[in-house]
Amino acid sequence: QAYVNTTFRGASGLVDLDRITGTRTPQSAFFSLTNFVVDEDVIDDDSQVGEHVLPQVRFKGVKTAVLHSGTWTVIKPYTFNDGTHTIPLDLPVVIEHARGLGTGIVVVG
């Protein structure tokens, strides 16, 4: 009980704990979401490694959103691995065959 009644200053500011759950209150939390993308502004020469020439790729961190006082604020759209701003599906799309059976069932059955 003494723990949840504690308020202290942390790295991101004042830490206030919910008296019922013991978790940090959204009002005292600060989070930022950083997206690491290829830095198109930096042009480096290729690098010689032994007899191979390898292209150099540099990344930069781009702050895309912040959570402050329980509210997310979008600063810039997040860029996903495919280069778009569209959230990818968690699983691949199931392809149905003409008989209406999913791919897994056709392979097994």
Side-chain angles (χ1 to χ4, degrees):
Q1 191 63 16
Y3 170 75
V4 296
N5 289 325
T6 303
T7 298
F8 58 93
R9 188 157 294 283
S12 62
L14 183 67
V15 176
D16 183 37
L17 302 175
D18 185 286
R19 304 302 183 248
I20 297 171
T21 64
T23 59
R24 189 171 182 173
T25 62
Q27 292 74 20
S28 76
F30 180 82
F31 296 98
S32 66
L33 180 63
T34 302
N35 190 195
F36 289 90
V37 296
V38 174
D39 190 348
E40 302 290 346
D41 296 333
V42 176
I43 301 172
D44 278 348
D45 293 332
D46 291 338
S47 177
Q48 185 78 30
V49 178
E51 59 187 53
H52 303 285
V53 176
L54 303 174
Q56 295 292 306
V57 178
R58 296 207 183 211
F59 293 90
K60 64 181 175 182
V62 177
K63 190 179 289 188
T64 58
V66 293
L67 173 74
H68 183 64
S69 297
T71 303
W72 279 102
T73 303
V74 175
I75 299 168
K76 185 173 185 176
Y78 191 90
T79 303
F80 291 93
N81 198 37
D82 63 358
T84 69
H85 303 297
T86 305
I87 298 173
L89 297 173
D90 289 337
L91 299 172
V93 176
V94 175
I95 300 171
E96 291 191 15
H97 294 279
R99 294 179 294 206
L101 301 174
T103 308
I105 294 174
V106 172
V107 172
V108 173

